[in-house]
Amino acid sequence: MRQALSMSDTDRTIRYVYKFRFNNGTSREFHINLAGKTLNLIQTERKSPPEWAELNFFKCPNCPLDENQHKFCPVAVSLSDVTDTFKGTFSYEETDVEIITEERIYSKHTDLQRGLSSMIGILMVTSGCPVMEKLKPMVRYHLPFATEEETKYRAIAMYLMAQYFLSKHGAKPDWELRRLADIYADVRTINKAFCQRLSNIQTKDAGINAVVILDCFASSISFSINRDAMDEIENIFKAYL
Amino acid sequence: MAKHTILIVDDEPNVISSLKRSLIDEDYNILSAENGESGLMLLEKNPVQLIISDEKMPRMSGAEFLSHVKNRYPNTIRIMLTGQASVDAAMRAINEGEIFRFFTKPWDDFELILALRGALEKYDLEEENRRLLETVKEQAVELKLIERHYPGITELQRDNRGRIVVQEMSEEELADLILQCERKYS
């Protein structure tokens, strides 16, 4: 019984619906479906990816993919619809964002870059990019409109749980978070290269600035690890210390 | 107290926080504003040596903001930091705001730090030049006043080999001259 419940839970598709409503009356809706077991993005039927999505177009310097086996960058393919939709939109345009999951609905009046960064974060991590993949557990427990501090907490908590599982499997855990700093350094390289890719196609700044916000979060996590600056988080653990 | 004050203007608070983190080891006093209007208000109350501004912001663009800054505080070093690095945006910023550097987001911390150090060194040198120029101007005025009272005193006389000839002056004449100068300029 217990196993059956667990199986059905992991087999199910995880769905996110993002709705953007703009002041001029227009609206956009995106459906993101993830395979429950793998957390891979289930790609919808679409025309062939644009040229700018080719792997060798501003390829990330740390990309481990071989151009002979992968014609397209998985992140670019995943983001091509969103990029096309918002290519004529500025980052600061106000929007009402509604995010519908099976468990709850989130909503916020914000600017497009912040609304988009929440969605782009999911798409980048679940695209199949081997570098971004390490952040997949965070997507499973996605927190839309998270603050810098909330993101830091979630990232570190995720990583420490990974160390717990590593330890259970007999491997040496990394309680010093060294490897997490490396992961985020790699993620920042991807963010930077992806922004270069976007800036070389005819788009306004909404997509780029959404990635920039994600990069600011990544920089905050790297900073906290490298400087051992987690006082604000440590303070809430007084009951344990 | 930090020698230099930097103003960061960006409509995205996460970018402001991230920039502040990037500059945490530099000895700067950092001010921030989320739009051009607030940036201009801060400039009215605080002497600022360097400004980093986003380009795409609601109501007042970065180029427009930096253009106002150029007109009101022409000595301030202006840097633009933008997500959209189009040639048009860069040209407009350079033409309207006469910016010192143009950075794209996400920026490289090390590159930014070096650029800021270079920019502020340039600012200090220019400030020193302006100060020296002011001193030279003041001294020229003083010389004119002395010349008015002692016509010919500031003229240099040279001999046929180009050497400066110092006119003989008695000790009483010299003391009188010093006394008059002290009375006039003390």
Side-chain angles (χ1 to χ4, degrees), chain A residues 4 6 8 21 41-42 73 81 85-86 117 123 130 132 136-137 143 156 173 182 194 206 211 233 237:
Chain A
S6 168
S8 69
R21 274 189 295 275
L41 181 68
I42 301 168
C73 160
D81 276 346
T85 305
F86 293 115
S117 76
L123 293 172
M132 300 301 292
K136 266 183 176 174
L143 183 62
I156 294 170
D182 294 342
F194 199 77
V211 179
I233 294 178
F237 282 87

Side-chain angles (χ1 to χ4, degrees), chain A residues 50-65:
Chain A
E51 273 182 32
W52 65 264
E54 286 184 9
L55 189 62
N56 59 9
F57 184 77
F58 288 90
K59 187 180 179 184
C60 303
N62 56 344
C63 177
L65 299 179

